[in-house]
Amino acid sequence: MTTLADLAELVRAPAALSVPGDVVAGAAAAGALSPRTPALAGASVLLYWAGMAANDWADRRLDAVERPERPIPSGRVTPAAAVGLAAGLTAAGVGLAAAVGGRRAAVLAVPLAATIWGYDLLAKNTAAGPAVMAACRGLDVLLGASGGRVTRALPAAATVAAHTWTVTALSRREVTGADAALPMRTLAGTALVAASAAVAGQVGVRASRTRLPGIAAVLPAVLAGWYAARYGAAQVEVVRDPSAGKVRAAVGAGITGLPALQGALTARGGAGLLGLAVAAAAPLGRRLARKVSPT
């Protein structure tokens, strides 16, 4: 009989802590932080969980060989239940986004959902896989910006998308291991991502909203440095030892470390205290990942 623990493993529940920060960072950049932002973040989490369930459904035959302990090949969740859950979560996520954000949010939520399913069913095992997954995260950031000036959130969306490209590129070698060239490329990408997030951007204009004017100028750099140190160190280990286990650890660090990057982007948008709150999800995600794997 399927349990809640089985479903939590299917959707990689702890990894969802890396999702709300997309919406918050986008809203901060676009000047669109409002009471509806948490609901849009909730819609984003639903779509993320839908993608995880659809991913395992699409990979059920491969997982039977490579990861027989996963919920579907182990028999704890049926394929029909997994795809049904994915479809239901997708409908709920798009519906919630449209209900709270209206047409502007729906215009972004629908292509986001389509891109998630497109990745799982078509693009994942192709050369386009990392780019499509990066597009998912970029659209997620723009979903948060839907109530304001979306164009102002494009740099934040591009930064999160670039980070996602590095994680996805590594994740394709979680079972087989990688050559040293791959983590060297993703490590260079991480350095560029951190440098982009560290730029003060709009903080100087909107620092008064943080009530921490002295810290506001350096907070994006501090949080971006934290992100780079955590995720970068894991990638350095892959350069030294490109085994499958080290690759999985780096992917996990990329997932659980993303809130620190999102926090830097949120602070860069002028919401320093909120940026700190977003970044606080990073250590929590690492602790939960010990119980349920985020990869």
Side-chain angles (χ1 to χ4, degrees), residues 174-245:
E174 284 185 305
V175 175
T176 62
D179 58 74
L182 174 61
M184 289 180 68
R185 289 195 298 272
T186 61
L187 187 59
T190 298
L192 291 174
V193 166
S196 173
V199 176
Q202 301 171 58
V203 168
V205 177
R206 300 170 62 200
S208 61
R209 294 190 183 184
T210 68
R211 299 188 183 278
L212 295 171
I215 298 175
V218 299
L219 187 56
V222 171
L223 294 177
W226 180 22
Y227 151 80
R230 169 69 182 172
Y231 183 32
Q235 291 173 85
V236 169
E237 287 299 313
V238 181
V239 173
R240 294 172 177 166
D241 174 12
S243 63

Side-chain angles (χ1 to χ4, degrees), residues 108-142:
L108 288 160
V110 170
L112 171 57
T115 306
I116 289 170
W117 280 85
Y119 173 81
D120 287 333
L121 300 183
L122 299 172
K124 178 170 51 180
N125 296 317
T126 72
V132 175
M133 179 57 75
C136 291
R137 283 288 190 167
L139 285 168
D140 202 29
V141 174
L142 296 181

